[in-house]
Amino acid sequence: MIDAKNINVKFGKRQILKDLNFKVNKGEYISIIGKSGAGKSTLLNVISTLEKEYSGNVFYENKDIRDYNDVEISNLRNKKIGFIFQNFNLLEDFTVIENIMLPARLTKIDEIELKEKALELSNKFELDLTKDQYPNELSGGEKQRVAIARALINKPEIIFADEPTGNLDSRMSIEISNILSKLNQEGQTIVIVTHNEELAKSSNKILELKDGMLLN
C-alpha cells in the first residue's frame, strides 16, 4: 500500500529522519513509538503526504506521490486517507454532525445520502445524543470519537493518527484504543504515532524510532 524508501528530513542543520525505509501493507495496524524528538510525527507526515520537504521516495499503491499533481494529491487525501489528530481539529462553529460530514462535502455525494452516512457513524460511535451539540460542549473522549467518525466518512483506505489519546485521561484512552482495534478487526488499515504503551500494544506491529532511524 505505502512504501517509503530512503527518506531523509532535515530542519536546518538537524537531521530528523535518516535513510529511513518504511512499509505499510493493507490491513495492518502499526504503532510508531519513541521518545520526543525521535521523528515520529515527521515520519507520519511524510508518509501521509502532509510533509513535502524530504528526500527519498514515497509510493502510494506503486505510484510516487511526487508524481501526483495538486488535484490528485487533494483527492488522495480526501478520498483515500483519514486523519486523526491529538488536538481533534474540530471546527468550533460546526455541530458534531456537521464536523463529521465536512470531508465529504468536497465530494459529489448527495446531501441526503451524506447526512445518512454521518448519522450512521454518529450511531456507531455513540454520539447520537450529542450530534447537534458543538465541540465546546463535548468531553475529550467525545471530541476524539467525532474526529474518528469524520476520518471515516469517505471510507478511507488508511487512517493516520498522531497521538490520538494524547489529550485524554486513562479511561478515555482505553475507549479510543478499543475503537481503533475494532476498526482494524473490520479491515481498516491504521498507522499511529503514540507515547501510550497500552495503545501501542493494541496494534499488530510496533516500530520504535530513535534518532531518526527505525530500530526494528
Side-chain angles (χ1 to χ4, degrees), residues 44 82-86 88 144 147-148 150-151 159-164 180 183:
L44 196 75
F83 295 97
I84 302 169
F85 301 98
Q86 179 178 351
F88 319 121
Q144 198 59 295
I148 293 171
R150 179 185 59 189
I159 287 178
F160 294 102
D162 193 352
E163 296 287 1
L180 293 174
L183 287 172

Side-chain angles (χ1 to χ4, degrees), residues 83-170:
F83 295 97
I84 302 169
F85 301 98
Q86 179 178 351
N87 295 320
F88 319 121
N89 285 14
L90 303 180
L91 296 184
E92 294 295 331
D93 294 332
F94 284 55
T95 64
V96 163
I97 206 70
E98 289 169 339
N99 267 287
I100 293 173
M101 294 167 66
L102 194 60
R105 290 200 180 279
L106 299 176
T107 67
K108 295 180 180 179
I109 188 171
D110 175 77
E111 183 73 14
I112 295 175
E113 182 183 351
L114 173 56
K115 186 73 173 287
E116 288 176 355
K117 286 176 65 176
L119 288 171
E120 286 176 9
L121 285 167
S122 69
N123 178 261
K124 180 182 179 75
F125 297 114
E126 300 179 1
L127 294 164
D128 304 71
L129 298 179
T130 61
K131 66 180 184 296
D132 296 318
Q133 293 181 334
Y134 291 87
N136 64 2
E137 302 175 278
L138 305 178
S139 69
E142 287 169 336
K143 289 179 181 179
Q144 198 59 295
R145 279 187 273 139
V146 174
I148 293 171
R150 179 185 59 189
L152 290 169
I153 190 70
N154 285 331
K155 296 183 177 179
E157 294 178 356
I158 186 168
I159 287 178
F160 294 102
D162 193 352
E163 296 287 1
T165 61
N167 284 333
L168 305 179
D169 61 29
S170 58

Side-chain angles (χ1 to χ4, degrees), residues 14 16-17 20 22 30-44 86 161-163 192-201 203 205-216:
R14 186 184 171 204
I16 307 300
L17 299 178
L20 189 144
F22 183 83
I30 299 175
S31 292
I32 304 169
I33 63 171
K35 295 180 180 179
S36 296
K40 302 185 302 298
S41 293
T42 301
L43 173 58
L44 196 75
Q86 179 178 351
D162 193 352
E163 296 287 1
I192 66 170
V193 158
T194 184
H195 283 101
N196 186 322
E197 291 184 9
E198 293 305 312
L199 176 59
K201 288 177 183 176
S203 63
K205 183 186 288 186
I206 300 175
L207 299 175
E208 185 175 0
L209 198 61
K210 182 178 181 180
D211 298 328
M213 298 179 287
L214 289 171
L215 299 183
N216 46 358

Side-chain angles (χ1 to χ4, degrees), residues 14 33 53 57 59 70 73 77 142 147 153 158 161 189 204:
R14 186 184 171 204
I33 63 171
E53 299 302 318
N57 304 90
F59 297 91
D70 290 344
I73 280 288
R77 289 174 183 161
E142 287 169 336
I153 190 70
I158 186 168
T189 306
N204 50 44

